[in-house]
Amino acid sequence: MGEGGKTPYVVAVAIQVIYTGLFVVSKAAFNSGLNTYVFIFYRLTAATALLLPLALIKSTWQNRSTPATPAPAMSCRILFKLFLYALLGNTFTMNVYNVSLKQTSATVGSAATNSMPVATFLLALLLRMEVVKVRSSSGLVKLVGVALCVAGVLVIALYSGPSIRPLAHHPVFAHKPQSVSNGAWIKGTFLLLLACVTWSLWIVLQVPLLKEYPNKLMATAMQCLFGALQSFVVAVVVERDFTKWKLGLDIGLLAIFYSAFLGTGVSMYLQSWCAEMKGPVFVAMWSPLALVFTIICSSFFLGEVVHLGSILGGILLVGGLYSVLWGKSKENENKISPAVPEERQLEGQGTPMEKHEEEDLTSHV
């Protein structure tokens, strides 16, 4: 695939289609009665089965082909960090996110993910990895982006508004409508935001981790493995009836394999390729498409009632996303130096946010 032409645009749209399917299929599995905690265990187990052999093969091949520069060794210190980061980024974040998705809708879940770049920027700001020059246009636009995201979350949580009828009278993944109270909806929305914040924190923490242990594939695979073990403990505590752990040829099994293989393996490769061809900002700017696709698909396939408040809140979140992305790109054009040590700038490391974008860590398992 070449750098020119329409291929990167097709790939960028394909990535958002994959994420749309992930939101819709996961929600359909939860509607069918699949326990969210059991789902996370199976998902991470399947992802480990995919990634760990690939990581071992890659490390073995590197050791044989380039013995002078072998694959980095994994120390006990690195293993402990991977365990903690798996606890944060996989076990906690994914369980909170999916429980929240069950209480809200696929549309809200998709909209919330657009706040991740803004949440990552805020965390980097609090950790003094980023700076905001309020007297510059880029700094002001970043702050406006943060405000728009906060407003979007509040609109989704507190305002329902008129509803849009489902596009299909007989949806593919039909289920009995579940009545969700206002309190549960508000709680679910803010838990989604919490999951996005902890997910963003996980992204920020990957930067020093990958600098210390640069084997990205092995680091991801080990975090999946630790996350699967941790999620098993959580699932056992929550769901002790093992008859409910059984999987059949249904939407639950489809959701597990879809999320593990398409949502992890394929999307990671496509995002890495697309970011290499066109840059990380090009990849991020297409993410609102997943929201549009999810609104249509959740209505057609799930029969979900989409509320005006979810659409308006999603628009505000997308506006916040583009504001932060524009501010970042403007800073790069003006060569505004962030608050990082000189030696890192000389090494071409960039800011943590730029680094994590280059490493494509937003393709969380």
Side-chain angles (χ1 to χ4, degrees):
M1 288 187 282
E3 184 175 355
K6 299 179 180 179
T7 304
Y9 297 90
V10 175
V11 171
V13 174
I15 292 169
Q16 302 312 315
V17 171
I18 290 174
Y19 279 128
T20 299
L22 182 60
F23 295 128
V24 174
V25 173
S26 299
K27 180 62 174 176
F30 301 152
N31 289 342
S32 69
L34 180 63
N35 185 286
T36 58
Y37 301 98
V38 174
F39 169 76
I40 294 301
F41 163 66
Y42 281 133
R43 175 181 174 177
L44 289 173
T45 301
T48 303
L50 169 68
L51 296 177
L52 189 56
L54 293 176
L56 292 173
I57 292 172
K58 180 183 177 183
S59 297
T60 303
W61 177 83
Q62 183 177 345
N63 290 335
R64 290 180 178 178
S65 60
T66 56
T69 57
M74 186 174 292
S75 63
C76 293
R77 172 187 170 87
I78 295 296
L79 279 173
F80 183 66
K81 282 188 175 182
L82 291 172
F83 181 87
L84 292 180
Y85 293 169
L87 185 63
L88 173 69
N90 288 341
T91 307
F92 180 82
T93 296
M94 295 178 70
N95 278 294
V96 170
Y97 185 89
N98 283 281
V99 168
S100 307
L101 186 63
K102 189 172 184 178
Q103 293 179 344
T104 53
S105 69
T107 299
V108 176
S110 177
T113 57
N114 285 287
S115 68
M116 278 190 57
V118 181
T120 306
F121 163 71
L122 275 177
L123 287 170
L125 189 64
L126 292 174
L127 295 173
R128 296 186 178 182
M129 295 177 174
E130 277 282 345
V131 293
V132 173
K133 296 191 174 183
V134 293
R135 295 182 180 180
S136 67
S137 59
S138 59
L140 289 175
V141 170
K142 282 183 177 181
L143 295 179
V144 169
V146 172
L148 287 174
C149 276
V150 173
V153 171
L154 292 176
V155 169
I156 291 175
L158 304 177
Y159 175 68
S160 296
S163 59
I164 301 174
R165 291 183 179 181
L167 297 176
H169 296 290
H170 303 285
V172 178
F173 303 119
H175 69 282
K176 294 181 180 180
Q178 297 177 343
S179 59
V180 180
S181 65
N182 289 334
W185 181 275
I186 294 173
K187 178 183 176 182
T189 301
F190 282 103
L191 283 177
L192 277 173
L193 181 63
L194 173 63
C196 289
V197 170
T198 56
W199 199 344
S200 299
L201 177 58
W202 176 86
I203 290 172
V204 172
L205 292 174
Q206 297 303 295
V207 176
L209 171 67
L210 291 177
K211 188 177 180 181
E212 186 176 358
Y213 182 75
N215 191 334
K216 177 186 173 184
L217 185 58
M218 181 62 76
T220 303
M222 289 303 298
Q223 287 183 78
C224 285
L225 174 61
F226 285 137
L229 296 175
Q230 295 162 358
S231 297
F232 175 75
V233 175
V234 173
V236 167
V237 171
V238 175
E239 185 55 81
R240 299 183 182 181
D241 183 2
F242 281 91
T243 59
K244 296 183 179 180
W245 288 56
K246 294 181 179 179
L247 296 174
L249 296 176
D250 54 14
I251 187 61
L253 185 64
L254 174 62
I256 290 168
F257 280 100
Y258 185 101
S259 61
F261 294 99
L262 282 178
T264 300
V266 174
S267 65
M268 282 180 64
Y269 172 78
L270 291 179
Q271 286 187 93
S272 298
W273 180 87
C274 202
E276 183 179 359
M277 293 295 103
K278 290 288 188 177
V281 174
F282 177 83
V283 178
M285 68 181 289
W286 291 87
S287 61
L289 267 185
L291 173 59
V292 177
F293 293 157
T294 304
I295 292 174
I296 298 172
C297 292
S298 63
S299 180
F300 186 83
F301 291 104
L302 301 177
E304 281 189 353
V305 176
V306 180
H307 295 278
L308 179 62
S310 298
I311 296 176
L312 292 178
I315 292 173
L316 290 172
L317 287 170
V318 170
L321 166 68
Y322 280 137
S323 296
V324 172
L325 290 179
W326 185 89
K328 286 294 297 178
S329 63
K330 198 68 176 178
E331 282 185 352
N332 293 336
E333 290 176 5
N334 297 335
K335 298 181 179 180
I336 298 178
S337 300
V340 293
E342 279 187 23
E343 57 267 27
R344 287 192 57 196
Q345 295 182 29
L346 292 174
E347 293 170 0
Q349 297 296 325
T351 69
M353 288 188 68
E354 290 166 346
K355 182 64 177 174
H356 90 255
E357 289 172 336
E358 291 168 4
E359 292 292 348
D360 188 41
L361 294 171
T362 52
S363 56
H364 189 272
V365 179

